[in-house]
Amino acid sequence: MKSLIPFVLAVASSVAVAQAPQPPEVAARQYLLLDMTSNQVLAERDADTPTDPASLTKLMTAYIVFQALREKKLTLDGTLAVSQRAWDARKGGASVMFIDTTMRPKVDELLRGMIVQSGNDASVALAEGVGGTVEQFVAMMNRQAQAWGLKNTAFKNVEGMSEPGHKTSARDLSVVAAHIIRDFPEYYPYYSVKDFTYNKIRQDNRNMLLRRDPTVDGMKTGYTDAAGYCLVASAQRDFPNGKRRLLSIVLGTDSREARASESQKLLNWGYQAFDAVRLFEAGQSVSTGQVWKGVVNQAKLGAEGAVFVAVPKGEGGKLQTKIERTDPLVAPLNKGQRVGTLKVTTSAGAPVADVPLVVLEPVPVAGIFGRAWDSIRLWIK
């Protein structure tokens, strides 16, 4: 069943696009809009086309550093040396936080330098501090990309400098950004910092939406001649049924202003054109299933978390659900064990989303006589 999950999610995402209102015209080479609350793609164009990631590379650089912090390999108050290689990262007019080889900046300062100021020098210093060498850190980045199944991503450096083979796609970037938000909520606030001063030099965050839209709380800009102006932007807005987060990826625009305005356009459209419908609460039983060879003969089934779906505005009341189950259910059954799929469709039967159906409460195996009797009943059945 495990191999079914990515396929189901991909189907749900593409169907959501097929049923969606027409997205606005977006002046970008590639884009993608993800509803993180429902895990549905609301709009996309050329989202799987490999492209130069520019400083959006630093999203994965940050993810690996966040992992090291969680694993206690680093601390935010700990200091790191600045190598000649980190110092050399300022060559060619690249973005830097202005560290030099006489300094020992804190990890917290380097993270702000990399995320807020997009400092290439900070990126190299962090990579060397975690991986020992930049090359070993890049290998860690690529292993993580492979673990997530990112088919259009390969890293050659930690800063985002253009070089052959250094690539990603809008869809792959949405995966990296979503993992940062979900996996490291304690570090995600770095992406909402509007400015940072280091070495008496103040630099503003290049994400203009942080100052234009109070619901935008991240994430990262990028620019090279090959990539154009790029922006990954995330917003979270309050609605009567709870908070809703959208993530936009806009690649290859013509200017800083364009990447901000096109991202804002996508985010606003996503919130206005779609409703987030809460179908079930976390842990809510949506069905029961007959259990064989268990201490009880019924199992409560549902979804692990609250179930949201994004649907065109006004369509929420027309949704239908159907359960497909992998019978027979034979004990022991573990809490969270997947036993089927909850399929959500429109009234016309068009697929909206497929949600894993899991066991909500464990069912231990019965005694020897109960097992023997159910074995006979199953054989007869």
Side-chain angles (χ1 to χ4, degrees):
M1 290 297 295
K2 289 184 179 179
S3 62
L4 177 65
I5 297 173
F7 172 76
V8 166
L9 291 177
V11 170
S13 296
S14 62
V15 170
V17 172
Q19 298 297 315
Q22 186 68 27
E25 182 58 38
V26 178
R29 290 199 292 264
Q30 298 98 25
Y31 71 81
L32 182 143
L33 181 65
L34 173 68
D35 187 322
M36 286 189 58
T37 306
S38 65
N39 199 37
Q40 288 172 260
V41 174
L42 305 183
E44 63 179 275
R45 181 168 69 212
D46 296 333
D48 295 308
T49 301
T51 187
D52 187 320
S55 283
L56 300 183
T57 299
K58 297 182 176 92
L59 290 170
M60 183 64 92
T61 307
Y63 189 90
I64 303 300
V65 176
F66 294 156
Q67 281 185 323
L69 285 165
R70 180 167 290 177
E71 294 166 2
K72 308 300 183 184
K73 295 176 182 177
L74 294 177
T75 64
L76 289 176
D77 289 333
T79 62
L80 294 177
V82 179
S83 69
Q84 185 64 42
R85 183 167 184 173
W87 164 261
D88 288 342
R90 67 179 56 207
K91 293 180 178 177
S95 300
V96 292
M97 69 174 289
F98 297 101
I99 51 177
D100 63 47
T101 55
T102 67
M103 300 174 176
R104 288 192 64 89
K106 293 180 179 180
V107 171
D108 173 73
E109 293 170 325
L110 289 168
L111 280 169
R112 293 174 188 272
M114 178 177 71
I115 293 170
V116 181
Q117 301 174 337
S118 201
N120 288 5
D121 48 359
S123 304
V124 172
L126 285 166
E128 292 176 332
V130 173
T133 67
V134 171
E135 288 72 24
Q136 289 173 338
F137 189 91
V138 170
M140 296 166 69
M141 296 168 68
N142 284 315
R143 284 195 296 271
Q144 186 62 71
Q146 291 165 6
W148 288 335
L150 306 187
K151 301 184 183 303
N152 297 303
T153 295
F155 296 108
K156 298 294 184 179
N157 59 69
V158 301
E159 317 98 306
M161 301 299 291
S162 297
E163 64 174 286
H166 188 76
K167 61 180 183 177
T168 191
S169 68
R171 195 180 316 280
D172 286 359
L173 284 167
S174 75
V175 173
V176 181
H179 270 289
I180 289 175
I181 295 169
R182 290 172 176 150
D183 298 351
F184 297 107
E186 67 271 39
Y187 300 128
Y188 179 63
Y190 278 111
Y191 290 94
S192 64
V193 177
K194 295 182 175 66
D195 60 76
F196 178 53
T197 300
Y198 186 80
N199 200 14
K200 299 181 180 180
I201 301 172
R202 179 183 177 276
Q203 297 187 65
D204 289 335
N205 194 316
R206 295 170 177 82
N207 182 0
M208 296 178 179
L209 295 187
L210 291 176
R211 289 178 169 80
R212 296 181 181 179
D213 183 342
T215 69
V216 171
D217 54 12
M219 290 189 67
K220 188 72 188 73
T221 63
Y223 170 78
T224 62
D225 288 342
Y229 290 88
C230 309
L231 175 60
V232 175
S234 182
Q236 182 169 261
R237 299 183 186 178
D238 293 322
F239 288 86
N241 62 350
K243 295 182 181 295
R244 185 177 173 208
R245 180 174 292 280
L246 298 186
L247 181 70
S248 70
I249 294 87
V250 172
L251 309 178
T253 69
D254 292 335
S255 66
R256 292 186 179 188
E257 176 58 40
R259 70 185 175 193
S261 61
E262 299 307 288
S263 297
Q264 184 77 77
K265 185 190 301 182
L266 262 181
L267 291 169
N268 288 343
W269 172 80
Y271 282 117
Q272 293 164 4
F274 291 85
D275 289 326
V277 179
R278 187 196 296 261
L279 293 180
F280 302 104
E281 300 293 339
Q284 179 182 344
S285 177
V286 301
S287 175
T288 58
Q290 183 177 8
V291 178
W292 303 86
K293 301 185 181 182
V295 295
V296 295
N297 60 12
Q298 294 288 323
K300 293 182 179 180
L301 310 178
E304 284 189 294
V307 178
F308 287 85
V309 292
V311 296
K313 191 167 289 290
E315 295 293 317
K318 304 175 184 178
L319 295 177
Q320 298 180 346
T321 59
K322 175 184 176 182
I323 289 175
E324 293 184 354
R325 217 168 56 214
T326 55
D327 288 336
L329 303 179
V330 181
L333 297 174
N334 299 318
K335 181 179 180 180
Q337 179 178 335
R338 183 172 180 179
V339 293
T341 302
L342 177 67
K343 304 182 80 67
V344 184
T345 66
T346 65
S347 57
V352 174
D354 292 331
V355 181
L357 187 71
V358 302
V359 177
L360 297 178
E361 297 176 358
V363 180
V365 71
I368 186 171
F369 293 109
R371 296 199 307 273
W373 175 240
D374 274 0
S375 293
I376 295 171
R377 294 175 64 206
L378 276 170
W379 181 75
I380 294 172
K381 184 178 179 181

